[in-house]
Amino acid sequence: MTSKAKSVNKALDEAVPLCEPVLRIREAMRYTLLSGGKRVRPMLCLAACELVGGQESTAMPAACADEMIHASSLIQDDLPCMDDDSFRRGKSTNHIVFGEVIAVLTADALIALAVKKLATSTSLGVPPERVLRAVLEMAKAVGTEGLVAGQEADLAGEGMSLEENEAGLEHLEFIHIHKTAALLEAAAVIGAIIGGGSDEEIERLRRYARCIGLMFQVVDDVLDVKKSSEELGKTAGKDLVAGKLTYPRVMGVEKSREYAEKLNREAREHLQGFDSNKVSPMLSLADYIVNRQN
Amino acid sequence: MTSKAKSVNKALDEAVPLCEPVLRIREAMRYTLLSGGKRVRPMLCLAACELVGGQESTAMPAACADEMIHASSLIQDDLPCMDDDSFRRGKSTNHIVFGEVIAVLTADALIALAVKKLATSTSLGVPPERVLRAVLEMAKAVGTEGLVAGQEADLAGEGMSLEENEAGLEHLEFIHIHKTAALLEAAAVIGAIIGGGSDEEIERLRRYARCIGLMFQVVDDVLDVKKSSEELGKTAGKDLVAGKLTYPRVMGVEKSREYAEKLNREAREHLQGFDSNKVSPMLSLADYIVNRQN
């Protein structure tokens, strides 16, 4: 996983060169994109491609594209009108460093570059109909079937008491199926499409990714409660203060942990049809997500 | 042109149905997308497709996609952190009606839907490699090679006196080649790609569209100075107050008018290689743009 993350970091670095014309936006893109994320989405994309028999290298543009979409969503989430966060991954957030105007434009630029990057996969020999199908999956993950729907639901639920928000767990699952899981799903599905997976393989990987996507969020919510601001590198306990719906708030910390374990088991079940010699990267990824401490 | 605009309006209406789950974002998308724009970009896209021998109907998804990108850019331009405009096309701007959070998300959702819409052109029989090439053109028009670069330059130039902004006309042309012309170029080029135009035809239409794109902006700037707020349906004279670089500010109103005429002549020259019986929609479009009063 470390070597995969290194290859991804190198590819991301090369994807946003500081070329002419010199734009603040390019600096701002690099600032968030290269600020040391866990690269879970790209690794998932590469692993999915390999699992269905494709070559890892052909999925690298798609893997970079997934991370660009993720970076774009982080920049937006932190904006003053959204979560108004000034601290992420131990660094000032994009709009604090570059200002709100550049941050908004940078989020757009990253989406555009993601689409462009993905669309150039044909230069690595991926048939255009596969690339186009991958582009469609990505567009769905970004729009009203994915991220933006999750973000609307997330912010709409903010400040509500649990009594006011009767839907509770249902509302929470809607948020994270759209907000967190959608992009992890897209990463796995896109990797599998690029790698030439069958429809059945693609759907199994979609279900696996949805499980680890939700699990990722449950673990994130638990960590937010547990860790101090310093250790976590972002403003901790903030979700609680903002009155956000979180798993610990809806079901308590212990039950949240159990739910994460349940999702981990389900994720593994969806992998059962695949060659057991080839699923280890997927299993490691799930274990990494459920056991991570930051 | 009226009948083309009607078909476009119908297709746009159908492209954003108010389906489940009910999202404020979908209402907000419809609010700006269906608020009666001139539909110049879709008409350009359809006309380019027909001019190179394609069927107009196959370019309709692409034409809608162009208008979605345009609507997205309008919503963003009007945001408090950008131009802070509360009035456009005789109506309150998106963030005034729906709030800043929804406006930001709506802009994303429109970009995502545009990509999705364009990618579905294959269902009308357009070969995937053409559609993918069109997707690439659209991504370029949105990102650091297009809109966002223009918007950064536009806002960077704001408030500067002409003495401070030594580049003057050069800076202004950079802004509008990227901000206004890039999307008109993309509309024409995408239409021509979908229609199966040759590389030479595509490039000629690109140059034609760049001319009418710049012309569109020159006319817009002149109108902004001339018209009252009521007549124009947006906050008029605002560019002057904000100290924006505009054509009248850099070269005066009379010279701006002459420049628009020059661009109109150049645009016509780029059409000379095409069948003279088939270019009339393009000529009408250019005349419409140079003569428009609002």
Side-chain angles (χ1 to χ4, degrees), chain A residues 177-246:
Chain A
I177 283 172
H178 290 83
K179 201 174 158 172
T180 310
L183 193 46
L184 281 146
E185 259 182 68
V189 166
I190 288 169
I193 291 170
I194 299 278
S198 68
D199 285 352
E200 199 210 322
E201 288 175 318
I202 291 167
E203 281 318 303
R204 258 192 272 143
L205 282 168
R206 186 191 297 281
R207 286 192 292 270
Y208 158 82
R210 177 176 285 206
C211 288
I212 67 163
L214 284 175
M215 183 169 81
F216 187 92
Q217 192 59 48
V218 178
V219 172
D220 212 54
D221 283 359
V222 171
L223 283 172
D224 185 74
V225 177
K226 290 283 174 188
K227 303 283 264 182
S228 77
S229 188
E230 198 187 10
E231 284 175 81
L232 204 64
K234 67 176 182 180
T235 320
K238 197 163 190 292
D239 292 350
L240 218 59
V241 178
K244 277 213 171 190
L245 268 183
T246 67

Side-chain angles (χ1 to χ4, degrees), chain B residues 110-133:
Chain B
L110 284 166
I111 293 177
L113 186 59
V115 173
K116 196 179 144 190
K117 198 76 197 161
L118 182 55
T120 58
S121 303
T122 46
S123 69
L124 301 171
V126 184
E129 50 276 17
R130 276 192 211 164
V131 179
L132 208 50
R133 190 174 168 190

Side-chain angles (χ1 to χ4, degrees), chain A residues 76 81 101 108 116 145 152, chain B residues 76 81 101 108 116 145:
Chain A
Q76 269 199 358
C81 71
V101 165
D108 291 345
K116 196 179 144 190
E145 290 157 90
E152 174 177 340
Chain B
Q76 270 201 356
C81 71
V101 165
D108 290 346
K116 196 179 144 190
E145 290 158 89

Side-chain angles (χ1 to χ4, degrees), chain A residues 21-26 29 72 76 79 81-82 100-102 104-109 111-113 115-117 119-120 122 127-129 131-132 135-136 138-140 142-145 147-149 151-153 155 174 178, chain B residues 21-26 29 72 76 79 81-82 100-102 104-109 111-113 115-117 119-120 122 127-129 131-132 135-136 138-140 142-145 147-149 151-153 155 174 178:
Chain A
V22 180
L23 297 171
R24 285 284 282 164
I25 292 165
R26 269 198 251 276
M29 290 165 88
S72 171
Q76 269 199 358
L79 285 177
C81 71
M82 303 280 178
E100 204 177 338
V101 165
I102 296 291
V104 169
L105 295 174
T106 300
D108 291 345
I111 294 176
L113 186 58
V115 174
K116 196 179 144 190
K117 196 77 196 160
T120 58
T122 45
E129 49 277 17
V131 179
L132 208 50
V135 166
L136 255 176
M138 177 162 284
K140 281 187 196 170
V142 171
T144 51
E145 290 157 90
L147 289 172
V148 302
Q151 183 72 351
E152 174 177 340
L155 294 163
F174 179 91
H178 290 83
Chain B
V22 179
L23 297 171
R24 287 283 282 165
I25 292 165
R26 270 198 252 274
M29 289 165 88
S72 171
Q76 270 201 356
L79 285 177
C81 71
M82 303 279 179
E100 204 177 338
V101 165
I102 296 292
V104 169
L105 295 175
T106 300
D108 290 346
I111 293 177
L113 186 59
V115 173
K116 196 179 144 190
K117 198 76 197 161
T120 58
T122 46
E129 50 276 17
V131 179
L132 208 50
V135 167
L136 255 177
M138 178 163 284
K140 281 187 197 172
V142 171
T144 51
E145 290 158 89
L147 289 173
V148 302
Q151 184 71 350
E152 174 178 341
L155 294 162
F174 179 91
H178 291 81

Side-chain angles (χ1 to χ4, degrees), chain A residues 9-29:
Chain A
N9 284 334
K10 187 167 169 286
L12 287 172
D13 184 20
E14 288 165 0
V16 195
L18 283 173
C19 58
E20 291 290 325
V22 180
L23 297 171
R24 285 284 282 164
I25 292 165
R26 269 198 251 276
E27 287 176 57
M29 290 165 88

Side-chain angles (χ1 to χ4, degrees), chain A residues 7-293:
Chain A
S7 315
V8 169
N9 284 334
K10 187 167 169 286
L12 287 172
D13 184 20
E14 288 165 0
V16 195
L18 283 173
C19 58
E20 291 290 325
V22 180
L23 297 171
R24 285 284 282 164
I25 292 165
R26 269 198 251 276
E27 287 176 57
M29 290 165 88
R30 291 179 62 84
Y31 180 81
T32 297
L33 199 57
L34 305 175
S35 71
K38 294 176 281 291
R39 312 307 187 202
V40 169
R41 291 152 195 83
M43 285 198 278
L44 184 55
C45 180
L46 297 175
C49 178
E50 277 195 302
L51 184 55
V52 301
Q55 274 213 301
E56 185 186 286
S57 58
T58 58
M60 189 55 91
C64 288
D66 294 323
E67 191 68 10
M68 287 168 192
I69 299 290
H70 176 54
S72 171
S73 74
L74 296 182
I75 293 171
Q76 269 199 358
D77 280 8
D78 292 336
L79 285 177
C81 71
M82 303 280 178
D83 289 352
D84 195 15
D85 250 316
S86 51
F87 202 51
R88 179 184 288 276
R89 292 177 182 166
K91 290 169 72 178
S92 296
T93 47
N94 199 290
H95 68 95
I96 295 289
V97 178
F98 295 93
E100 204 177 338
V101 165
I102 296 291
V104 169
L105 295 174
T106 300
D108 291 345
L110 283 166
I111 294 176
L113 186 58
V115 174
K116 196 179 144 190
K117 196 77 196 160
L118 182 54
T120 58
S121 302
T122 45
S123 69
L124 299 172
V126 185
E129 49 277 17
R130 279 194 209 162
V131 179
L132 208 50
R133 190 173 167 191
V135 166
L136 255 176
E137 287 290 337
M138 177 162 284
K140 281 187 196 170
V142 171
T144 51
E145 290 157 90
L147 289 172
V148 302
Q151 183 72 351
E152 174 177 340
D154 193 8
L155 294 163
E158 213 165 273
M160 280 188 193
S161 69
L162 285 183
E163 291 71 36
E164 282 176 290
N165 191 329
E166 287 179 11
L169 188 60
E170 200 181 320
H171 186 101
L172 190 61
E173 295 272 302
F174 179 91
I175 292 172
H176 296 305
I177 283 172
H178 290 83
K179 201 174 158 172
T180 310
L183 193 46
L184 281 146
E185 259 182 68
V189 166
I190 288 169
I193 291 170
I194 299 278
S198 68
D199 285 352
E200 199 210 322
E201 288 175 318
I202 291 167
E203 281 318 303
R204 258 192 272 143
L205 282 168
R206 186 191 297 281
R207 286 192 292 270
Y208 158 82
R210 177 176 285 206
C211 288
I212 67 163
L214 284 175
M215 183 169 81
F216 187 92
Q217 192 59 48
V218 178
V219 172
D220 212 54
D221 283 359
V222 171
L223 283 172
D224 185 74
V225 177
K226 290 283 174 188
K227 303 283 264 182
S228 77
S229 188
E230 198 187 10
E231 284 175 81
L232 204 64
K234 67 176 182 180
T235 320
K238 197 163 190 292
D239 292 350
L240 218 59
V241 178
K244 277 213 171 190
L245 268 183
T246 67
Y247 287 95
R249 194 158 166 250
V250 171
M251 53 170 74
V253 170
E254 210 37 58
K255 283 259 184 281
S256 299
R257 284 224 179 89
E258 286 168 22
Y259 183 45
E261 291 295 347
K262 179 171 167 274
L263 287 166
N264 195 8
R265 285 192 301 275
E266 281 179 23
R268 284 158 183 273
E269 282 165 23
H270 293 306
L271 294 176
Q272 271 171 9
F274 291 102
D275 181 347
S276 61
N277 295 316
K278 288 171 83 183
V279 291
S280 69
M282 291 293 181
L283 299 175
S284 309
L285 204 57
D287 283 337
Y288 168 72
I289 289 172
V290 81
N291 293 318
R292 74 196 173 94
Q293 298 302 320

